[in-house]
Amino acid sequence: MTTTAALTILLTNSSSQNLTLKSCKVIGSSSASTLKLPETLTRGTYGGLGLPSSETPYSAEWVYTPDDGNTLLSFTTSLNGPTGLTIIPAETGHDARFWQLGEGPDLTNEGWIVRYYYAAKP
């Protein structure tokens, strides 16, 4: 049986606007059923977050909002096996055009380390 890699998460908000966690879920992991993310992202980087390796493929999905849910900034990250990684960012809603999401994945011996970026468009 092939083990699916661990996921270490760094969240970076480069905007002066605070982001509030709207939802967060883990689907399919044999080792974790929840992911603990900060309720509020102020400007800066947050680390020490993530999921352990799993005997099954899994995905983590979370949504932050800058405006009580009118604008949704989401990431869906799917892992499969020791190196499989798919990241789908999405900006939707009223002020989505003012936001830009990005990610920077890095595969290490311990699994994936991914920096997720939230930035206001100039």
Side-chain angles (χ1 to χ4, degrees):
M1 178 177 273
T2 302
T3 300
T4 296
L7 174 64
T8 300
I9 297 169
L10 300 170
L11 300 173
T12 298
N13 180 6
S14 63
S15 170
S16 59
Q17 190 168 6
N18 291 349
L19 301 175
T20 304
L21 185 64
K22 180 106 171 117
S23 66
C24 179
K25 62 184 172 179
V26 176
I27 301 165
S29 174
S30 66
S31 60
S33 59
T34 61
L35 173 61
K36 184 72 174 155
L37 296 179
E39 291 295 322
T40 303
L41 294 182
T42 58
R43 182 177 216 133
T45 298
Y46 300 78
L49 313 165
L51 296 164
S53 61
S54 170
E55 294 302 318
T56 55
Y58 65 92
S59 64
E61 303 173 6
W62 63 89
V63 179
Y64 278 95
T65 180
D67 55 10
D68 296 322
N70 292 316
T71 304
L72 303 176
L73 308 173
S74 66
F75 281 102
T76 300
T77 302
S78 299
L79 293 96
N80 189 350
T83 60
L85 176 73
T86 303
I87 302 170
I88 301 171
E91 309 98 357
T92 59
H94 186 264
D95 288 335
R97 67 188 181 281
F98 298 122
W99 288 89
Q100 181 174 342
L101 304 181
E103 68 278 338
D106 186 30
L107 183 59
T108 69
N109 290 337
E110 289 77 38
W112 285 101
I113 298 173
V114 182
R115 182 181 298 262
Y116 297 88
Y117 299 95
Y118 298 85
K121 289 182 180 175

